[in-house]
């Protein structure tokens, strides 16, 4: 059957076959040569000398306050459109003196090239006390400007309900406002599993390739910080780093439900 995902008012379609895993989308992307390099570098614990990168970090310190991030250091608006970019801010920061504000039309993307092994994606997020709207943190296993796309992790931060919500599995936690909160996504591409932790609590554990869009790739292809018309929330000190294995599962009595 056919499913649809709504993104900025645009419908993105995919088709599931009888096995529930056949996904229709347009393909493009890196060559097999770059994919092999990424896998070898991951196993060796090295950084891939290719664009987009595997191991990566961002503090926002090199940019001037008020700078449009689109076109800088691999950042861009969704589908390569500057209209969906975001601005550097000093309104609130976690480390150093700058962060990024995700607000209004912001739909900020950074691509990666991790194709094997275990990884941790980490970020710090600040939701102001007066936050309004619903904003999203998204990781994709496939991303190419203009399509196709495959969503693996999609978490919303909803001011109205006061909840943090994980898509397709329905797990939720209470939204934290007025302080910096750690986000950590532990990803095992070899075993097709991910864990999403919010403020030290386990929100969900599920498949990476079937986390949101079924039939995704065993790859970490992109981060998408999507404001969805909401008021500003802030991110700082982001990183994608390899690890030897995933740590043991975290059991939190008041964790995701």
């Amino acid at each position: 059957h056919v499913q649809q995902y709504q993104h900025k008012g645009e419908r993105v379609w995919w088709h599931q076959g009888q096995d529930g895993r056949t996904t229709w989308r347009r393909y493009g992307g890196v060559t097999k040569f770059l994919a092999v390099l990424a896998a070898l570098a991951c196993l060796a614990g090295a950084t891939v000398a290719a664009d987009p990168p595997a191991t990566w970090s961002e503090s926002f310190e090199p940019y001037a306050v008020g700078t449009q991030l689109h076109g800088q250091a691999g950042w861009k608006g969704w589908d390569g459109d500057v209209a969906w970019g975001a601005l550097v801010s000093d309104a609130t920061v976690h480390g150093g003196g700058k962060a990024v504000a995700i607000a209004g039309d912001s739909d900020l993307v950074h691509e990666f090239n991790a194709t094997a092994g275990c990884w941790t994606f980490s970020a710090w997020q600040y939701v102001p006390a007066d936050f309004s709207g619903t904003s999203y943190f998204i990781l994709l296993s496939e991303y190419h400007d203009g399509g196709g796309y495959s969503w693996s992790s999609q978490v919303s931060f909803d001011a109205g309900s006061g909840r943090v919500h994980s898509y397709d599995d329905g797990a939720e936690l209470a939204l934290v406002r007025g302080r910096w909160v750690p986000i950590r996504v532990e990803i095992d591409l070899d075993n097709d599993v991910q864990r999403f932790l919010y403020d030290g609590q386990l929100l969900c554990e599920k498949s990476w390739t079937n986390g949101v869009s079924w039939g995704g790739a065993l790859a970490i292809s992109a981060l998408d910080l999507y404001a969805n018309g909401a008021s500003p929330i802030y991110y700082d000190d982001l990183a994608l780093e390899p690890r030897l294995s995933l740590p043991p599962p975290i059991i939190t009595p008041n964790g995701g439900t």
Side-chain angles (χ1 to χ4, degrees):
H1 64 281
V2 175
Q3 296 183 358
Q4 64 172 320
Y5 170 77
Q6 197 79 9
H7 188 84
K8 294 200 306 292
E10 174 186 2
R11 291 175 180 172
V12 181
W13 297 89
W14 67 88
H15 173 263
Q16 290 180 242
Q18 293 182 352
D19 62 358
R21 293 175 179 269
T22 303
T23 301
W24 179 89
R25 55 190 174 271
R26 287 180 289 159
Y27 284 88
V30 298
T31 64
K32 185 180 293 185
F33 175 70
L34 287 178
V36 170
L37 282 181
L40 290 174
C42 179
L43 292 174
T47 300
V48 179
D51 186 21
T55 301
W56 169 85
S57 64
E58 178 63 86
S59 67
F60 303 106
E61 294 308 300
Y63 320 111
V65 172
T67 295
Q68 170 60 250
L69 275 177
H70 175 91
Q72 298 199 71
W75 290 106
K76 59 183 173 180
W78 182 266
D79 280 344
D81 190 338
V82 66
W84 309 116
L87 302 180
V88 177
S89 173
D90 61 357
T92 182
V93 298
H94 175 257
K98 300 163 193 173
V100 63
I102 302 299
D105 290 335
S106 294
D107 196 359
L108 188 67
V109 171
H110 200 293
E111 291 187 73
F112 308 109
N113 191 23
T115 58
C118 297
W119 298 83
T120 295
F121 193 100
S122 58
W124 287 85
Q125 180 198 68
Y126 185 91
V127 176
D130 61 352
F131 170 66
S132 63
T134 303
S135 193
Y136 293 82
F137 177 99
I138 300 168
L139 292 173
L140 298 97
S141 66
E142 293 183 70
Y143 173 88
H144 312 290
D145 289 341
Y149 322 108
S150 186
W151 286 258
S152 287
S153 187
Q154 177 176 300
V155 173
S156 65
F157 307 90
D158 188 337
S161 66
R163 305 293 287 175
V164 176
H165 176 85
S166 174
Y167 275 72
D168 252 30
D169 53 273
E172 291 190 336
L173 289 168
L175 178 65
V176 177
R177 302 178 189 237
R179 67 174 172 86
W180 285 93
V181 171
I183 290 174
R184 190 167 83 250
V185 189
E186 300 169 347
I187 305 160
D188 184 344
L189 296 175
D190 296 334
N191 293 296
D192 189 18
V193 65
Q194 62 170 309
R195 298 188 194 122
F196 194 107
L197 294 100
Y198 173 77
D199 198 24
Q201 295 191 56
L202 180 63
L203 175 62
C204 65
E205 180 171 341
K206 59 183 177 179
S207 165
W208 176 254
T209 58
N210 298 324
V212 180
S213 306
W214 280 61
L218 286 168
I220 305 169
S221 290
L223 164 71
D224 178 22
L225 302 175
Y226 177 35
N228 188 41
S231 65
I233 65 173
Y234 302 88
Y235 290 91
D236 202 357
D237 295 327
L238 289 73
L240 176 64
E241 301 171 300
R243 58 187 311 147
L244 294 178
S245 62
L246 292 192
I250 294 177
I251 300 174
T252 54
N254 298 316
T257 58

